[in-house]
Structures are given as C-alpha cells and as structure tokens.
Amino acid sequence: DPVTVLAIFAELNVDVDLYALIFGESVMNDAVAIVLFESVLSYAPYKNATFSAVGFLSCVGQFCLTFFGSFFIGTVVGLITSMITKLTRLCDFPVMETSLFTLMSYSSFLLSEAAGFTGIVGILFCAITQAHYTSRNLSLDSK
C-alpha cells in the first residue's frame, strides 16, 4: 500500500526524490486504473463474441479519448490559473488568491466530469501544471 510506504518514508526522512517517485507512481496508477475501468466498460456491448477487433479498438480509443481529454482540460485550466495569477495583482489579496487557486483546481475536476472524461485525471494534471507554473506567481502568504 503506497500510503503506508509514504508514511514510513516520512518518518525515516527518506530522500525527497524517492518519496516523490513513489507518490507519483501511486497517483498515476490510480488515475490509469480509473480510466482503464471506464474503457473496459465500453467493451460490454461486444460481450457475445469471444474476441472482437472492433470492440478492442473501441476500448483502446475510449481509453485514449478519456485520458487525453482529461489531460487537456486539466492542463488548460492550470495554464489559465497561471495566467490569471501572473497578469493580475491577486498577490495583494492572499485570501482571494488562495480561493481562486482552489476553485480553479476544483473547476478542472468539474469540467472533466461534465465533458464525460475523468475528473481525477483532470485535477491531477491541473495540479502538476499549477505546481510548475502558478506557484511562481503566488504571494508568500498564499504559498
């Protein structure tokens, strides 16, 4: 269980890179499992046949569409958050800045779900994008 391993790593003060690697693997594993589950459900109409190439390709297509659609939405929302924090003076209002940051993250989840994709993958890539770009624009109080 990654949660147990991460808790032990935190107690032992393990190297940050190893901690990040285990954490990243567990998050991506969960996200891919959710998308793969939804893709396999798209194979259900073809259950009468032992194997159907059309059903298999439909399943693979559904996986790619769901994963990359969620990836796109999450990344775009993360970039929008970055641009808003960079081009405005929100750093003068730390509470508003933190609220916007949280609401934009949640909006990536909602947009992904509303579009028929997976919100977990959307919010994952929104967080990755925000960590890389938006964190540089945040005030010290918001960080």
Side-chain angles (χ1 to χ4, degrees):
D1 186 40
V3 175
T4 306
V5 172
L6 293 174
I8 292 170
F9 281 2
E11 278 186 28
L12 297 175
N13 295 326
V14 176
D15 183 35
V16 176
D17 291 336
L18 180 61
Y19 185 90
L21 184 67
I22 298 296
F23 179 76
E25 186 276 330
S26 68
V27 170
M28 281 302 292
N29 188 21
D30 293 346
V32 169
I34 291 168
V35 175
L36 190 59
F37 175 76
E38 290 182 8
S39 300
V40 170
L41 287 179
S42 72
Y43 193 76
Y46 306 100
K47 64 184 175 187
N48 294 335
T50 55
F51 177 77
S52 170
V54 173
F56 177 74
L57 292 175
S58 171
C59 186
V60 171
Q62 183 66 33
F63 177 85
C64 291
L65 179 68
T66 302
F67 189 83
F68 290 113
S70 300
F71 166 81
F72 178 75
I73 289 174
T75 303
V76 167
V77 171
L79 291 173
I80 290 170
T81 307
S82 175
M83 294 305 293
I84 289 172
T85 56
K86 183 175 182 145
L87 300 176
T88 62
R89 300 290 303 162
L90 278 176
C91 59
D92 295 337
F93 308 99
V95 174
M96 187 182 297
E97 186 179 41
T98 304
S99 299
L100 176 77
F101 189 81
T102 304
L103 289 173
M104 290 298 285
S105 300
Y106 186 57
S107 70
S108 71
F109 177 86
L110 293 176
L111 285 171
S112 294
E113 288 290 331
F117 302 131
T118 302
I120 297 297
V121 176
I123 203 166
L124 171 69
F125 285 104
C126 179
I128 291 170
T129 304
Q130 286 177 336
H132 190 70
Y133 296 108
T134 308
S135 63
R136 298 175 185 172
N137 305 329
L138 295 176
S139 64
L140 290 177
D141 291 337
S142 293
K143 288 182 184 181

